[in-house]
Structures are given as C-alpha cells and as structure tokens.
Amino acid sequence: MKTSPRVLMWVHIAFILAIALTTLVFVIVNVSAGPDKSFALALIAVSGLSLIYASVYKYYSTKVKGQRESGNPYHKFFFTGTNVLTLLLTILGILGGLFVYIEHENLFQAVGLVISIIWIAVFLRYFMWAVYNYNINYGLTDKDWEKIFEARELVKLGYPVSPEELQAPDKNPYRSQTFGLPPGTVRGMIAFTLLFGGLSLLIVSFGSEYSANQLALVRQQFEFFETAFLMMIAFYFGDKSLRYLQKRWVQPGKAQGDSSGDTKGLTPSDEEASLPLSNLEMDDLSLQQEEREFSLTEGDKKPTSISQMRKLLSVMAPEVSTKEVADIPQTSFVQIRDNLFAKVLSDEEIEKALIKLREEEQLHLSMPVVKAIIEVESTGRGHLADGRPKILFEGHKFWYWLKQAGKSEEEIEELAKDHPNILYKKWTTQHYRKGAKEYERLAEAKGLKIGHAAIYSASWGLFQILGENLAHNIKGRIRPEKVSSGNNYYYKDAEDFEQKQEASEYYHFLDFLEFIKTKQTKGKALIDYISEDRQGDYDWASFAYGYNGRGYKTNKYDTRLKAAYEKFSLQYGSKDKKTASIGFIPIIDAGHGGFKDDVYTTKGKQYHFSDGTTIYEGEVNRKIGKLLMGLLDEAKIPYHNLTVDTFEDVSLRKRVDDANALYTKDANHYFLSIHSNAASAETEGEGHNARGFEVWTSVGETKSDLLASIAAKWYKQEFPDFKFRQDMSDGDEDKEKKAQSQSFYVLRKTRCPAFLVENLFYDNLHEARFLLSEHGQARIARCLFHIVKEIHHKYRA
C-alpha cells in the first residue's frame, strides 16, 4: 500500500512508546515475583513487540512501481540513520532502566531514565522529519510529490491533466525561520525537552533519600529546569503580546491610509496585503531582499537576462506551448517555474508563426529579419515581474476615444479636471508612471466606464502596440468565430485581447505580424519592405519610417535594424540569395545500433536503473538524429544520413569507409557522430554521478577543431543548465582530451573534418530521464541544428 513519511513517523513513535509502556507495566506488575523474573518477562515482551514493529514497518513501506514510497534521494540520508539511532536509543534506554532497577531496586530511577532517553529518541525522530518535510519537500509529503511527478509524466505522454495536479511549491514557505521550520517549532521542542527533563528528575526524586549536600544539588537542578521552562513559555507566548509593535511595519510602498500608493483601487485581498505584517511575513520579506541582493552579485548562478531566457526557450519542443511550460514545473531537468520566464517568446513559436504566414498568406519573412526587429523595436520583454503585460497609458488617446464615444469637448474638459493624470488633449510624458503603476492609470480610466476607450488608449506588450489598433491595423485579430471553434490565438473582443496579453509574448508577436501586414507607408504594407521576396534587398529606412514615424532617423532605427540583421544572419543563416552558398555538408552518424525485431543490436551501451528506468544509447542517438534531419529538411540544408535509419550496429570500419568515400567525391563534407556518454561499463545498478556534455575532435590541429569550437559554443549557449566538461577553444592541448580522442576510431580514421558529441551520461539517472524525454531529445536536436546551420553558412571546402 502507499503511505507517507508522516504515517511512518507515527508508526515509529507508537511502537517506541508501546515498547516502553509494556516494559514499565511488566516491571511494576511483576516486581513481587523478583527482579530476575521481571527482567526475563520484560525482555520477552520487548522482543515480541520489536518483531511486530518490524513487520508493520515493512508492510507500510511496501514497494510501489519498483521503488519505495520514500523515493526522494534525500529520504535515505535523513531517515535511515535516524531509524537506527532512535531504535538503538530506545532499546538502550529500556535495557538501562532494567539494569538500574535490578542493580538498585529503584523503580523511579529506572522510569526517569527511560522517559529521558525515549524523549530524546522521539525528539530526534520528529526533528529530522520536520527538517526533511519543510526544507526538502517544501511542506508536501513524498506521496504528494509522487502524484505531481506522475502528472508530469502523463503530460509528456499527451494525456490531459488538470493544472491543480501539476502545481508544486518551489521553496520552503518557512525558509526565513530557524532550521526552516514553522514559527515556534524549535522553541516548542526545547520547551517540551525541558518539561520532560524536569519530569524525569521529579520521578527520580520519588522514593529517594538525600543527604544535605545531595538535596541542595537536586534543588538546583529543579530550579534550573523550572526557570528554563518558564522562560521558554514566556518567550514563546510573550512575542505574541507584542503585536502592537507591528503597527510600525507595513509592506513597502503600502503605507496605511495612503491612497496615493499601491493601495488605490484595491480589491479585498489587496487591502489585506496593506495591513501590518506578521513576524513571519516581516522575516520573509527580509529574506527575499537578501536573496535579491545576492542574485545581483551572483548573477551567473541562473539566467536572469531576457536574452538568456530566450536562448533557453528557443530550444523547446514545437508541440509544447508556453502555457504548458508554465504549468509544468520541470524540477527534474530545467528549472522553468518563474511566471515571467514561461511567457517569453521562443524561437519555436516564431518559426511556427512564420511557417503559418508563408503557407496561408504566401508572405515570407526570415528568422534573422524578425530577430533584428524584436531586438530593436521591442521593449526587451513583454511582461512585468508580476506577470502582467507591460503597458503605457496615453491620456491624449483617451481624450480622442472619449470624443469617439460621443462625449462633447466641454464634457471631456470637465472630466479632465477630476482626472488630470489620464486625460489631456496633447501628448506629453509628464503623467507617465511606468511599470506596474501604469495599471493605476488604466484602472482610473476604466472606472469611467466608457466602452473600450481605456483599453484602446494603452500600448501593450512586447511591441507596445496601441490598443486602438484593434479598430484598424490589427482588427483582423478580432475573430470571435475562430475563438468559438477552439482557436484561442485570436480574440473575441477588446476585453479578450486584454486578458490574453498576459498569457504569453506569442500573442504580442501575432499582433505585431498583423500590424506590419496592415499598416502602410508610401503605398505599401510594412511587411513588403522586409519580405524575402526582395531577395535580401531590405528597405530598412522605409520600414523604420512606417513603424516609428518621422523621428526614426534621430534614433537611427534604420541603421540599428540593419546592424542587428547582419548579426542574426550569421547566427541563424542568411536568406539573402546574393550571399547564400552551399557550405559544409554533415555526414550524420548515430552511434551504435538500434532495435531490430524488438532486439537491441548492440552489446552493452545500455543501462537498467534500480527504479525501473531503462535506456539504450543507440536508440536515443537515432531519435535525436531523426529530429535533427527533420529540422534540416525544413531549413533545406543538405546532409548525408549515414546510420540514423539503420537498425544494425554498423561496424566502425564501414562507417569510416563510407564517410571517406563521400569525402573523396566531394571535399565539402564533414563527419558528425552522435553519442551519449557512460561513466563505466556497467549496465545496471543505481547509476553514476558523472554528468554533462562533451565534444571531441580528431587528434592534431585540423579544421575539425574549428567545427568543434562552433559545437562547443552552441552547447554552452543552449544548455547553461548542464555541465560542459571541456573548453574546445584550447584545441588538443588538453592531455585528457587527446588521450580520449585517440580511442575514438571514427575520429582517428576519417579523412574529412570530424567531431563527436557526447550528449550527457546515460548511466546518470537524472540525465537518462532527460535523454528519454521528448523534450530533452528535441532540445539536443535543436542545438545540433544550430551547429550544422552555422557551419553550413560559414564554411566550405
């Protein structure tokens, strides 16, 4: 049956207390029968209860799906030693009590000793459980986490799962408290320890005769426990009597009674947020501030810039939307839990939109062009830190839309007297508040309840497109019939537009595409000036004029767009037909064999983990190779498939001979071998700790080093969340690399430039799970695609 650490803890405590109670009962009831007989009976009873205890514990920790319920890797560390120690303490305490009773025939001393030791065992057991439960499990049980992990697996397999089943905490809610435990836990445990210490001392004193000196010592001991216990009680309850001091503490920026701050227009839940903070909330705010300050000095620990977020999301599998990413806490592999992170526009989404634009409307835009516009014309990110879309409210537009709603000039001027910050006739930056405070201005405008005027008067999202464009330049995005039929990438009305702006930057990008298709300048739509129909002869000046207005030259928008395009054309591959050429062509080799007639054709190159996870390297290599070839087909980049579609484990010699034959016919080829790594020759067990990506080249300073350096660059860029063992920029100087590369037959014997990639360690459980996931395979294939594409557009024989 399935259970949780909490249940197991109570099983431990119940049997420890039962063993102790049984021992005491036998001692008291059988005292008249003589010490020796009492000891024998007690020993038999304790032994019997211990056997029952072992059986019950085994029953409650029955294996589930090939692993124990306590499958968390930290569970064994926290509980196995604690179980042994507490059991030994309990047994030693009981035996010590029996020994004291037999030797001194003082039942009270024996009981006092047993109570003290058993409390220490209970204290230790509870303390370790509490630290584990809050610091490792973030307040959930192992059973709760197992359900979350199962839900994630169902999502990966395509099964519908409710968002509630995927929700998981990402930090300890009490991390600002002592040992990360709820307020008062440690103080309460100390208070109980003092109480049981004093109780044990009181019991020991019964029936004892003391000399004058001994009595003074006992009194001092009583006074110590009494004073310490009372101080703990006073300290524990006393801080609650100081709540009046909290009136001096409120959340930053939300002073009581200040209607000009963030409390303006608060909902009931917002009003609660402006009340005085509790001690826990104040501690938590202090800890959050420390974490923010630490992140400023340790920025390399995690991706913080929007460019790093985009790089990570650019390798997401196409079928996984950003909403799904936001709903799935990827704690096993890549940490994608942040609200803002999940909303960032990815390269996959851009490509999806461009393909749709090409297929449905025969409009052609290239990735480098789009990336250049995003870099120059966007605001850097489309959402605030709290997840809401970035907005800027324009009071002069609000004035215009009030007139369109039928308000007279006199009525608007009268309203402007009461709302000067949101209503003015001419454009000015004087009333801008920027950031989250712009929502105060939007809320004030909405409060006048004049149609869609408030939404129309704000600019929205990544490209800061004015809402008024819903009435003209992006009115094609208002398609209620499409929304009704299940296509949620359109809008039902202006209110739906506002709601979906929060969902993802992908909506902002679709709005931008609609805008440049519709907005005209010099008699042409803006998209015509940057279309691939121009064969690379883009008119950046006309595009900038139409998008930014007459002041585009002052800010050099046209020259900035051109410079950004040239940068991205090198990274993503230029579509400029004047400069495009056929470059290096990869000979793609999937290392080792696959499955033929349900039989794995390679000896070894597999791993069977104790938890039931099984991975076959050759099969994973082939899946990654097929995904890579699919991406190359789509980009119309040539390649030669050497072994990806084969099932047999083709010999190394044949692979090399075939590659050399292709190179002899056309020197524009290079050899790319796809593998994953292993730390040993074992094929089953608990796995190993070695991890990360590697890139190897042939021995000697050859063109292989140049190609491998490109591969290393992309692996480091696309997988900042994984280890990359070696810096390929130092060529073959590294002795370990040189020795390793000499063992690679395909690198030593190929005449063409060659490099081999080791995609993680398949005998590392966490990395094996990543390699087995569709998401992981897609990320690796996308990284290899970038490598091949850059090589293809930069180099030729």
Side-chain angles (χ1 to χ4, degrees):
M1 63 174 291
K2 300 174 73 174
T3 186
S4 69
R6 188 189 297 269
V7 175
L8 290 175
M9 182 192 73
W10 286 114
V11 169
H12 286 299
I13 293 174
F15 271 93
I16 288 171
L17 295 176
I19 290 171
L21 182 61
T22 302
T23 303
L24 294 176
V25 168
F26 268 92
V27 170
I28 294 171
V29 172
N30 296 289
V31 67
S32 60
D36 293 336
K37 190 171 183 181
S38 173
F39 177 81
L41 290 172
L43 188 60
I44 292 171
V46 169
S47 299
L49 279 172
S50 298
L51 290 174
I52 297 172
Y53 172 33
S55 300
V56 171
Y57 177 75
K58 184 177 181 181
Y59 172 73
Y60 272 99
S61 59
T62 304
K63 289 187 176 183
V64 180
K65 294 184 179 179
Q67 60 180 345
R68 291 190 180 275
E69 180 69 32
S70 52
N72 189 302
Y74 294 101
H75 191 282
K76 186 176 181 180
F77 171 79
F78 271 85
F79 291 106
T80 302
T82 306
N83 291 343
V84 173
L85 183 58
T86 54
L87 188 59
L88 286 175
L89 280 173
T90 303
I91 294 173
L92 288 174
I94 294 171
L95 293 178
L98 290 172
F99 175 78
V100 168
Y101 175 70
I102 292 170
E103 287 294 318
H104 301 283
E105 297 186 7
N106 189 324
L107 176 62
F108 299 107
Q109 288 183 358
V111 171
L113 176 63
V114 170
I115 288 176
S116 296
I117 293 181
I118 287 179
W119 169 250
I120 292 173
V122 171
F123 177 99
L124 180 62
R125 178 70 193 177
Y126 175 78
F127 179 75
M128 293 301 288
W129 171 83
V131 170
Y132 171 86
N133 189 66
Y134 290 105
N135 291 282
I136 305 300
N137 272 6
Y138 298 158
L140 301 183
T141 65
D142 282 352
K143 183 178 180 181
D144 294 330
W145 278 111
E146 183 182 331
K147 290 180 179 178
I148 293 169
F149 291 140
E150 287 177 352
R152 292 180 194 166
E153 293 299 321
L154 291 174
V155 169
K156 293 177 184 177
L157 295 173
Y159 293 102
V161 176
S162 67
E164 291 78 13
E165 295 180 80
L166 294 166
Q167 289 179 354
D170 60 354
K171 59 180 174 289
N172 179 3
Y174 304 108
R175 65 195 187 285
S176 63
Q177 302 299 300
T178 305
F179 292 113
L181 304 180
T185 301
V186 175
R187 285 174 286 175
M189 292 167 68
I190 295 175
F192 272 109
T193 300
L194 292 170
L195 176 63
F196 275 95
L199 180 63
S200 298
L201 185 61
L202 178 64
I203 293 173
V204 169
S205 69
F206 292 158
S208 298
E209 296 181 359
Y210 300 104
S211 64
N213 291 335
Q214 290 173 331
L215 186 59
L217 178 62
V218 170
R219 284 176 177 172
Q220 288 179 356
Q221 293 172 342
F222 270 117
E223 288 176 1
F224 166 77
F225 279 104
E226 177 187 13
T227 303
F229 178 70
L230 290 176
M231 287 179 65
M232 285 300 302
I233 294 298
F235 180 60
Y236 183 73
F237 290 104
D239 83 312
K240 293 179 172 54
S241 67
L242 301 177
R243 289 300 177 90
Y244 71 91
L245 292 176
Q246 292 177 9
K247 294 178 181 179
R248 298 183 302 166
W249 292 88
V250 296
Q251 290 191 32
K254 292 192 176 183
Q256 286 177 292
D258 181 7
S259 62
S260 64
D262 287 344
T263 56
K264 190 171 184 177
L266 293 176
T267 62
S269 60
D270 294 325
E271 291 172 357
E272 292 174 5
S274 68
L275 294 176
L277 300 176
S278 68
N279 289 342
L280 174 59
E281 290 168 330
M282 287 189 289
D283 289 343
D284 201 43
L285 279 177
S286 176
L287 181 64
Q288 289 175 12
Q289 179 62 28
E290 290 177 8
E291 289 174 342
R292 283 194 294 270
E293 292 172 356
F294 179 77
S295 67
L296 293 176
T297 57
E298 299 287 337
D300 57 334
K301 295 291 182 68
K302 57 183 180 180
T304 54
S305 70
I306 200 68
S307 61
Q308 287 172 301
M309 292 182 185
R310 295 195 194 288
K311 287 174 184 176
L312 282 177
L313 283 179
S314 68
V315 293
M316 287 299 178
E319 64 273 14
V320 182
S321 70
T322 53
K323 179 63 174 67
E324 292 169 328
V325 172
D327 287 341
I328 306 173
Q330 305 272 343
T331 52
S332 298
F333 312 125
V334 187
Q335 306 298 323
I336 311 179
R337 297 189 295 262
D338 183 76
N339 189 26
L340 174 62
F341 183 93
K343 298 180 180 187
V344 173
L345 179 68
S346 72
D347 281 8
E348 286 292 351
E349 291 174 317
I350 295 173
E351 287 181 355
K352 179 171 69 174
L354 296 184
I355 290 171
K356 182 179 179 183
L357 189 68
R358 183 169 62 248
E359 292 177 349
E360 295 184 359
E361 302 182 52
Q362 290 72 53
L363 295 172
H364 300 258
L365 290 180
S366 72
M367 178 65 80
V369 166
V370 172
K371 295 290 282 189
I373 295 172
I374 291 174
E375 179 172 285
V376 175
E377 301 289 3
S378 77
T379 59
R381 61 184 65 186
H383 295 87
L384 301 172
D386 60 11
R388 290 182 294 178
K390 189 178 290 186
I391 66 168
L392 188 64
F393 190 83
E394 301 287 4
H396 68 294
K397 290 292 182 181
F398 195 43
W399 187 292
Y400 171 82
W401 284 104
L402 290 188
K403 287 185 67 176
Q404 296 301 308
K407 295 286 184 182
S408 67
E409 196 80 13
E410 292 76 16
E411 288 176 310
I412 297 174
E413 288 176 353
E414 194 65 30
L415 283 172
K417 293 178 182 178
D418 296 326
H419 304 278
N421 291 324
I422 63 168
L423 197 54
Y424 36 87
K425 197 167 187 177
K426 294 183 179 180
W427 175 83
T428 176
T429 61
Q430 178 183 352
H431 304 288
Y432 287 172
R433 295 182 185 175
K434 298 184 179 179
K437 289 186 177 294
E438 284 295 317
Y439 275 91
E440 297 175 4
R441 301 176 67 211
L442 179 64
E444 187 178 348
K446 283 185 174 182
L448 298 180
K449 297 181 180 179
I450 304 175
H452 303 316
I455 296 174
Y456 282 5
S457 302
S459 55
W460 297 83
L462 183 63
F463 298 93
Q464 286 294 280
I465 294 177
L466 269 167
E468 67 177 18
N469 284 290
L470 289 167
H472 39 87
N473 286 327
I474 64 169
K475 63 182 179 182
R477 300 277 294 130
I478 303 290
R479 302 285 291 277
E481 72 283 358
K482 289 217 177 245
V483 177
S484 299
S485 63
N487 189 334
N488 287 321
Y489 287 118
Y490 289 91
Y491 309 122
K492 289 188 294 185
D493 47 36
E495 284 73 21
D496 192 33
F497 163 82
E498 179 185 7
Q499 291 176 7
K500 288 178 178 175
Q501 291 296 296
E502 184 172 337
S504 168
E505 289 177 353
Y506 185 56
Y507 285 95
H508 308 171
F509 181 60
L510 295 178
D511 295 339
F512 162 76
L513 290 180
E514 186 70 23
F515 180 83
I516 63 174
K517 285 190 304 179
T518 309
K519 177 70 182 293
Q520 292 197 350
T521 186
K522 300 178 184 179
K524 291 184 180 180
L526 293 184
I527 197 171
D528 292 336
Y529 295 108
I530 54 174
S531 167
E532 290 308 290
D533 293 337
R534 302 179 69 91
Q535 299 185 4
D537 188 19
Y538 309 116
D539 188 347
W540 296 111
S542 296
F543 178 85
Y545 172 76
Y547 197 87
N548 300 286
R550 295 179 182 275
Y552 79 94
K553 283 188 177 181
T554 303
N555 294 308
K556 299 181 180 179
Y557 282 114
D558 55 336
T559 55
R560 288 164 57 192
L561 283 166
K562 185 177 181 180
Y565 166 75
E566 290 172 353
K567 178 183 71 173
F568 285 112
S569 66
L570 290 176
Q571 182 173 338
Y572 287 88
S574 172
K575 299 294 184 179
D576 188 338
K577 295 181 181 178
K578 295 179 180 179
T579 60
S581 63
I582 300 299
F584 264 1
I585 300 171
I587 303 169
I588 303 176
D589 169 48
H592 311 295
F595 275 90
K596 186 176 183 180
D597 299 327
D598 295 327
V599 176
Y600 187 49
T601 59
T602 302
K603 183 178 181 181
K605 305 300 178 184
Q606 58 188 284
Y607 205 87
H608 305 269
F609 293 91
S610 301
D611 71 344
T613 302
T614 296
I615 185 170
Y616 298 93
E617 184 199 345
E619 184 70 5
V620 171
N621 295 338
R622 275 157 176 71
K623 288 181 178 180
I624 293 172
K626 288 177 181 178
L627 289 171
L628 169 61
M629 293 190 305
L631 293 170
L632 294 174
D633 286 334
E634 184 180 322
K636 295 181 173 55
I637 295 176
Y639 61 88
H640 183 85
N641 175 6
L642 190 67
T643 58
V644 176
D645 287 336
T646 62
F647 302 108
E648 297 83 3
D649 189 354
V650 180
S651 69
L652 295 175
R653 180 162 187 164
K654 179 169 175 50
R655 295 174 193 228
V656 169
D657 289 345
D658 290 346
N660 286 340
L662 286 167
Y663 181 66
T664 301
K665 292 180 181 178
D666 183 355
N668 224 32
H669 285 84
Y670 66 97
F671 186 78
L672 167 59
S673 191
I674 302 172
H675 289 256
S676 54
N677 220 333
S680 75
E682 298 172 4
T683 59
E684 60 181 23
E686 297 292 333
H688 301 274
N689 294 324
R691 58 191 176 87
F693 293 93
E694 296 177 348
V695 177
W696 303 101
T697 69
S698 52
V699 177
E701 294 184 9
T702 66
K703 201 160 190 175
S704 300
D705 293 329
L706 180 62
L707 304 187
S709 67
I710 294 173
K713 178 194 74 175
W714 277 103
Y715 269 107
K716 291 174 186 177
Q717 176 175 308
E718 302 300 334
F719 294 97
D721 45 334
F722 286 92
K723 182 178 179 181
F724 187 86
R725 285 190 59 198
Q726 295 176 342
D727 184 353
M728 300 307 299
S729 63
D730 59 4
D732 294 293
E733 294 175 5
D734 187 280
K735 292 182 179 179
E736 180 186 351
K737 172 184 178 293
K738 189 170 183 178
Q740 181 89 16
S741 64
Q742 287 174 336
S743 67
F744 289 134
Y745 184 90
V746 294
L747 296 181
R748 289 187 291 112
K749 297 297 184 180
T750 47
R751 300 193 193 100
C752 58
F755 65 93
L756 181 148
V757 295
E758 295 277 16
N759 293 311
L760 305 177
F761 282 75
Y762 66 80
D763 57 357
N764 176 309
L765 180 58
H766 293 292
E767 296 194 344
R769 289 173 175 167
F770 184 83
L771 287 168
L772 289 169
S773 70
E774 293 181 4
H775 166 69
Q777 292 165 9
R779 280 190 66 183
I780 295 171
R782 172 65 57 178
C783 179
L784 289 171
F785 171 69
H786 285 308
I787 294 167
V788 172
K789 184 162 62 173
E790 181 172 344
I791 292 172
H792 181 69
H793 286 285
K794 273 190 176 182
Y795 303 106
R796 61 178 291 113

